Amino acid sequence: MKLLVAEDQSMLRDAMCQLLLMEEDVEKIYQANNGQEAIDLLQEKEIDVAILDIEMPQKTGLDVLEWVRAHQLAVKIVIVTTFKRLGYFQRAVKSGVDAYVLKDRSISDLMSTIHTVLSGGKEYSPELMETILTHENPLSHQEQKVLELIALGKTSKEIAQQLFLSDGTVRNYTTSIFNKINANNRVEAINIAQENGWI
């Protein structure tokens, strides 16, 4: 099989590639140190499985995944990350990721994941599944709507008009949102809610 490993930390990438090359069914490994390089290689080479980090320069692993799906390439995508962020995971699943696993696993575990996706299966880290099940959205339906409009750059006055509420009620909802998710301002509230998949 031919693999692509995209990881911006070169020591980690080199170590991963050396260990993967010791596996008898790994024929060739292409390396990329950012998401754009990964896309360039995917356009030029025949690759069976792309192993992607999420946070990389130029393009993230999620950007690469979305690019692959938009261009309907047959390549299987395995995201390997240190981040247990719910928003990342949900975006990956929505884009049809084949596997989403955490970095603290052995190469034999990773090979087992690669074989799973090549045979048409999916694999998601159990820790992430647990996070999803225990990470309930603390916002009410109305608070969610208010925060979604805040994320669109609307002012309190505009939100009040759109939701048929008073300006004071919108401000109360905004304060309640900040308290519930421990945010100090609008930008922080939007980031926290998006990371957790609450909006």
Side-chain angles (χ1 to χ4, degrees):
M1 71 178 80
K2 292 173 182 165
L3 305 177
L4 164 66
V5 173
E7 161 67 63
D8 61 327
Q9 293 177 29
S10 47
M11 267 176 68
L12 184 61
R13 187 179 68 245
D14 290 346
M16 196 191 281
C17 291
Q18 280 172 11
L19 291 166
L20 285 167
L21 275 170
M22 291 161 78
E23 299 288 329
E24 58 188 51
D25 46 359
V26 175
E27 181 191 332
K28 172 96 181 140
I29 299 182
Y30 299 100
Q31 295 190 38
N33 64 18
N34 62 57
Q36 187 55 55
E37 269 184 31
I39 287 174
D40 294 343
L41 283 163
L42 286 161
Q43 282 178 302
E44 293 163 22
K45 312 287 183 189
E46 267 189 39
I47 291 164
D48 299 303
V49 181
I51 300 160
L52 309 173
D53 183 28
I54 287 189
E55 295 204 338
M56 293 187 287
Q58 295 185 41
K59 300 265 185 199
T60 67
L62 294 170
D63 293 334
V64 178
L65 163 65
E66 285 163 359
W67 180 89
V68 165
R69 294 300 179 246
H71 290 78
Q72 299 183 319
L73 301 187
V75 63
K76 299 289 185 184
I77 302 287
V78 175
I79 283 184
V80 183
T81 182
T82 48
F83 299 103
K84 293 186 187 177
R85 289 186 183 167
L86 204 52
Y88 282 173
F89 179 53
Q90 288 176 323
R91 184 176 157 196
V93 170
K94 206 179 277 184
S95 302
V97 74
D98 296 290
Y100 191 108
V101 294
L102 297 173
K103 274 184 188 169
D104 58 357
R105 59 199 345 243
S106 66
I107 287 295
S108 60
D109 283 344
L110 183 56
M111 281 307 297
S112 154
T113 300
I114 289 167
H115 287 130
T116 297
V117 301
L118 282 172
S119 62
K122 299 259 187 197
E123 189 179 320
Y124 306 134
S125 163
E127 295 95 324
L128 281 158
M129 299 310 289
E130 198 179 309
T131 306
I132 279 185
L133 295 171
T134 57
H135 219 63
E136 286 187 9
N137 187 346
L139 303 176
S140 71
H141 180 62
Q142 192 74 301
E143 286 165 347
Q144 244 175 290
K145 274 171 137 179
V146 168
L147 191 52
E148 280 165 6
L149 292 170
I150 288 173
L152 292 173
K154 306 269 187 197
T155 63
S156 293
K157 204 170 187 176
E158 288 168 332
I159 294 168
Q161 285 171 343
Q162 198 162 331
L163 297 180
F164 305 105
L165 301 168
S166 73
D167 205 5
T169 303
V170 170
R171 282 201 292 271
N172 289 341
Y173 275 130
T174 308
T175 305
S176 171
I177 291 164
F178 290 178
N179 290 338
K180 282 185 178 180
I181 64 178
N182 294 321
N184 296 311
N185 55 51
R186 286 177 163 225
V187 174
E188 225 174 83
I190 293 160
N191 288 341
I192 291 167
Q194 286 176 340
E195 273 179 19
N196 287 289
W198 295 332
I199 60 167

